[in-house]
Amino acid sequence: MRTSAKRKPRGTTDGGQGKRAGQGADRRAQILVAALDEFSLHGFEATRLDDVAKRAHVAKGTIYLYFKDKESLFQELLRAQIGPVIGMLEAVLAGGTKEKKPVPLRELAHRVADLFVEQVIGTRRKDIVRLILTEGPRFPKLAEFYYREVISRGLSAFRARAKRAVNEGELKSDTLVRFPHLIVAPALVSIIWKSMFDKFEPLDVKALMKAQIDILFDKEERP
Amino acid sequence: MRTSAKRKPRGTTDGGQGKRAGQGADRRAQILVAALDEFSLHGFEATRLDDVAKRAHVAKGTIYLYFKDKESLFQELLRAQIGPVIGMLEAVLAGGTKEKKPVPLRELAHRVADLFVEQVIGTRRKDIVRLILTEGPRFPKLAEFYYREVISRGLSAFRARAKRAVNEGELKSDTLVRFPHLIVAPALVSIIWKSMFDKFEPLDVKALMKAQIDILFDKEERP
Amino acid sequence: MRTSAKRKPRGTTDGGQGKRAGQGADRRAQILVAALDEFSLHGFEATRLDDVAKRAHVAKGTIYLYFKDKESLFQELLRAQIGPVIGMLEAVLAGGTKEKKPVPLRELAHRVADLFVEQVIGTRRKDIVRLILTEGPRFPKLAEFYYREVISRGLSAFRARAKRAVNEGELKSDTLVRFPHLIVAPALVSIIWKSMFDKFEPLDVKALMKAQIDILFDKEERP
Amino acid sequence: MRTSAKRKPRGTTDGGQGKRAGQGADRRAQILVAALDEFSLHGFEATRLDDVAKRAHVAKGTIYLYFKDKESLFQELLRAQIGPVIGMLEAVLAGGTKEKKPVPLRELAHRVADLFVEQVIGTRRKDIVRLILTEGPRFPKLAEFYYREVISRGLSAFRARAKRAVNEGELKSDTLVRFPHLIVAPALVSIIWKSMFDKFEPLDVKALMKAQIDILFDKEERP
DNA sequence: CATGAATGAGAGTTCATTCAT
DNA sequence: TATGAATGAACTCTCATTCAT
């Protein structure tokens, strides 16, 4: 329905020869970038492949050379971004086990929070997460994939680590074992807040994340 | 008009059940219920008014007797549900001031959590909230309205109450004054979890809310 | 998008004739011709773009490749035809001044009449004029454009010429200076007659025009 | 397509009792008046029966109590107005034969012109004529009826009278016998001009009619 | 590989017509 | 008779998808 902006015509038609949009470069990547822009702006349904093509400086038909259809483009876009996230996540959580001196869970939590602020909130990745949140329910396959590859893995990794922290006395209760969600909660709130209410009242995401972690661990760490 | 072909009159198809859908009942309400179903299922863009009509056992044109257009139907649907939420929220927060013995903030938080679990998570209202979250960014007006009427009010009411709790010693730090969001965070996570991952791994929302509150207040209440 | 039902691709129905309507030819022109047919037949409101498309052997959507909407199609159709008319008119009226021996106004009038009979009554242009007459009141912009570009120009050109004819003694009274409309009147009657009553009683337009001119000038030319 | 005005809501809902629009009076007439207004404003296709009903202070269904459908309403509206016109016309033309001293055709022409200015141009009847002109081609039945009842009658009556004038020496040539249309031409031009261009350049209809008659007869009456 | 004109199913919206009250 | 809520066919316009070049 396109509540806002009208379509703005592409300024220059690129001449016809010249730098033909990426030339030999990865057209696929170009299209994905453009698709992220448009999907973020309008959501899945309201995004027009025409606009994606325009933004990618590519003909409409070209998209179909690389993607089966609109839905494939959308799903591949999201899936493509999930890989790095998983990698980062596992790296950090594993990090705690490889170092000689074991890193306390609290320290790990702070690292994850920093990572989140820098690598998600501060980048286009927050839009990916938002898209998963908003369009996910309409794409059961996507939700399932996301659950399997990210959520369940992240949760169990964190749970395992939290269990150790309980055993080692870093945590007094098993709250975080039962509800690792509590670590993620402020992150979610941040993403949603940014996209809807930040213009009315800006939110200091870093401080919010820090506050939650401090609360979570201050409570637990008391003697 | 074409001089020839007149419009064909309605055969007398009547659906087969003989009774005119809802008869004297409130068509408007019927339509709103059906609309909530469809919008929840598909989101704004992907919802077809044809399906809303079908679900409401009403002709497509009938919708336009009660709503200007698709967007109006959508917005009125959401706004209509926001009112009660505001009412409930204010009632609970005000409740703490009217009783002779002041209700501790912690107790209030639990009441709000219960309210949330019963009145939102347990009802269609959770779908309303989800719709606001997912479609909000595409309806600036809606986001603004929601911020003004719900978010900012709720936040400042809670902040005022939290400040008093700090002054009266119930809370040791001003974390909750700065980030009332932390009370809402698990609620949001719950709504999103329910709509995407509950079938893979059910979430005990009540326990989650309780855990967060306990953490929030246990920490603060230490001597 | 509904996750399920993809849009069905075009079967390869192709109309049955194998050749893509007009192929490389000017689709725009095809559409304009078809539009003139349909608009002439039914008027603006009653014309269905579906029928225009069918008549142009073109898909419905194709029309929107060349015209913004139904109204644009209509207006461009009319405007495109007005240009030539203006050109012809000015050419004839100017013709009288360029020739060595000045052409008498009467002679000019006959030329304009012939032009009208050949170029308007005898062609599709009479339908254009009819459309302007019948739809004009509903398209204020069109009426204004038509007045500015055709009527006022034609009238003042004729008036100027008529004034000269008065000064030079060709005309005895200033009737035609005050009412150049009298030259146009039989033309209008012809167009309307042709479209409504010609099948009951055919009208010899040429003779009608000639009769009016003769009357106009016979009277004036008496000593 | 409704180029102009939005529907304006009826100011007062009429209370419910009170003067229920014409009460026992002729609903049919009310509706016809309202229909003329709307059809004149928007043409046949673009007119909404809803608006006719509103303007007639009558429920939409009521229209169908008096008229079979929209087209009937339209046709009956136009036919109803043709009677008086025929009457007037015949009265005037007959008038010339009943008076002792025969009225000259020229005098008759002036009388008709006056009648036209007073009874058509100066009243709603000009809208009727306009509707016949603009919608006629789309309603073959109407055009035929109109030709039979008005045009052919009027024409042959005038022709008979003109023939007499020729025989009696009032007219020298048979131009008006062959083309009685020339008497009507300026009237048509007037009606069209009034509806399209009068705001840009007002036309003195009476003077125009008089000029044409004078030309027609001055020429003929010379010795 | 790339293009973009062409396609046509589909969605929102309107409004003549019906009919229970 | 009169009403006006309800109906659903029809119409405009959009856009994912195809395919000749």
Side-chain angles (χ1 to χ4, degrees), chain A residues 78-150:
Chain A
L78 298 193
R79 290 186 187 201
Q81 304 277 354
I82 289 178
V85 172
I86 300 174
M88 281 164 24
L89 215 121
E90 292 185 330
V92 171
L93 287 177
T97 51
K98 276 175 199 149
E99 303 181 26
K100 296 151 257 183
K101 217 192 248 176
V103 181
L105 182 56
R106 176 175 197 160
E107 172 57 19
L108 276 184
H110 277 297
R111 286 189 196 172
V112 171
D114 289 347
L115 209 71
F116 173 76
V117 171
E118 280 165 31
Q119 296 295 321
V120 177
I121 286 286
T123 70
R124 301 305 315 266
R125 264 186 275 264
K126 74 167 173 304
D127 296 316
I128 294 285
V129 176
R130 249 196 57 77
L131 278 176
I132 292 172
L133 295 183
T134 58
E135 306 289 348
R138 246 105 71 209
F139 294 88
K141 285 279 182 55
L142 178 72
E144 195 200 322
F145 175 84
Y146 189 64
Y147 174 75
R148 226 181 35 238
E149 300 298 320
V150 182

Side-chain angles (χ1 to χ4, degrees), chain D residues 185-205:
Chain D
L188 272 190
V189 169
S190 300
I191 285 176
I192 287 164
W193 187 278
K194 283 272 156 213
S195 74
M196 289 182 69
F197 309 126
D198 216 56
K199 60 182 156 192
F200 306 121
E201 188 182 331
L203 176 67
D204 182 341
V205 177

Side-chain angles (χ1 to χ4, degrees), chain D residues 30-44:
Chain D
Q30 272 174 38
I31 294 171
L32 282 171
V33 169
L36 174 53
D37 285 345
E38 292 292 328
F39 283 132
S40 299
L41 241 34
H42 310 293
F44 178 79

Side-chain angles (χ1 to χ4, degrees), chain A:
Chain A
M1 180 242 30
R2 222 34 98 74
T3 312
S4 51
K6 311 281 177 204
R7 215 100 332 261
K8 53 167 182 284
R10 186 155 64 94
T12 44
T13 331
D14 203 15
Q17 4 85 301
K19 60 147 179 53
R20 194 190 263 247
Q23 225 137 11
D26 206 9
R27 291 280 224 269
R28 206 167 189 283
Q30 274 174 38
I31 295 171
L32 282 170
V33 169
L36 174 52
D37 286 345
E38 292 293 329
F39 283 132
S40 300
L41 240 34
H42 311 293
F44 177 80
E45 279 288 341
T47 287
R48 301 202 276 264
L49 288 192
D50 230 336
D51 292 340
V52 174
K54 231 166 259 162
R55 195 184 277 268
H57 298 296
V58 141
K60 216 184 336 172
T62 305
I63 295 176
Y64 288 84
L65 256 32
Y66 297 97
F67 303 92
K68 187 176 150 290
D69 57 16
K70 190 184 180 185
E71 185 170 342
S72 294
L73 171 60
F74 183 66
Q75 304 233 22
E76 287 188 40
L77 169 67
L78 298 193
R79 290 186 187 201
Q81 304 277 354
I82 289 178
V85 172
I86 300 174
M88 281 164 24
L89 215 121
E90 292 185 330
V92 171
L93 287 177
T97 51
K98 276 175 199 149
E99 303 181 26
K100 296 151 257 183
K101 217 192 248 176
V103 181
L105 182 56
R106 176 175 197 160
E107 172 57 19
L108 276 184
H110 277 297
R111 286 189 196 172
V112 171
D114 289 347
L115 209 71
F116 173 76
V117 171
E118 280 165 31
Q119 296 295 321
V120 177
I121 286 286
T123 70
R124 301 305 315 266
R125 264 186 275 264
K126 74 167 173 304
D127 296 316
I128 294 285
V129 176
R130 249 196 57 77
L131 278 176
I132 292 172
L133 295 183
T134 58
E135 306 289 348
R138 246 105 71 209
F139 294 88
K141 285 279 182 55
L142 178 72
E144 195 200 322
F145 175 84
Y146 189 64
Y147 174 75
R148 226 181 35 238
E149 300 298 320
V150 182
I151 303 294
S152 77
R153 279 209 222 177
L155 248 46
S156 55
F158 187 90
R159 271 190 175 117
R161 192 61 187 71
K163 238 171 242 169
R164 215 183 72 189
V166 170
N167 292 338
E168 291 174 356
E170 189 187 355
L171 287 174
K172 289 289 175 290
S173 87
D174 66 343
T175 303
L176 276 181
V177 176
R178 289 189 302 132
F179 296 116
H181 313 77
L182 292 179
I183 285 286
V184 187
L188 271 191
V189 170
S190 301
I191 285 176
I192 287 164
W193 189 276
K194 283 271 156 214
S195 74
M196 288 182 70
F197 309 125
D198 215 55
K199 62 182 153 189
F200 306 121
E201 188 182 332
L203 177 67
D204 182 341
V205 177
K206 194 159 199 166
L208 175 70
M209 301 287 294
K210 190 176 178 309
Q212 172 82 342
I213 293 173
D214 284 344
I215 287 171
L216 251 27
F217 285 91
D218 279 358
K219 179 199 170 219
E220 302 292 344
E221 283 168 350
R222 296 298 163 92

Side-chain angles (χ1 to χ4, degrees), chain C residues 22-97:
Chain C
Q23 226 130 8
D26 203 14
R27 291 287 220 266
R28 204 167 189 281
Q30 276 176 35
I31 295 170
L32 282 171
V33 169
L36 175 51
D37 285 345
E38 292 292 328
F39 283 133
S40 299
L41 239 36
H42 311 291
F44 178 80
E45 285 284 346
T47 287
R48 302 195 286 251
L49 289 191
D50 230 338
D51 290 342
V52 174
K54 228 165 270 163
R55 191 184 280 268
H57 298 296
V58 141
K60 217 184 340 173
T62 304
I63 295 176
Y64 290 86
L65 253 35
Y66 298 97
F67 304 93
K68 191 179 146 288
D69 56 15
K70 192 184 178 183
E71 186 170 341
S72 292
L73 172 59
F74 184 66
Q75 304 238 19
E76 287 189 38
L77 172 67
L78 298 195
R79 292 190 182 199
Q81 304 276 357
I82 289 179
V85 172
I86 299 174
M88 280 164 20
L89 213 121
E90 291 183 331
V92 170
L93 288 177
T97 51

Side-chain angles (χ1 to χ4, degrees), chain D residues 116-131:
Chain D
F116 172 76
V117 171
E118 278 165 36
Q119 296 294 322
V120 178
I121 286 286
T123 71
R124 302 305 315 266
R125 265 187 273 263
K126 73 167 173 300
D127 297 315
I128 294 284
V129 176
R130 248 197 58 75
L131 278 175

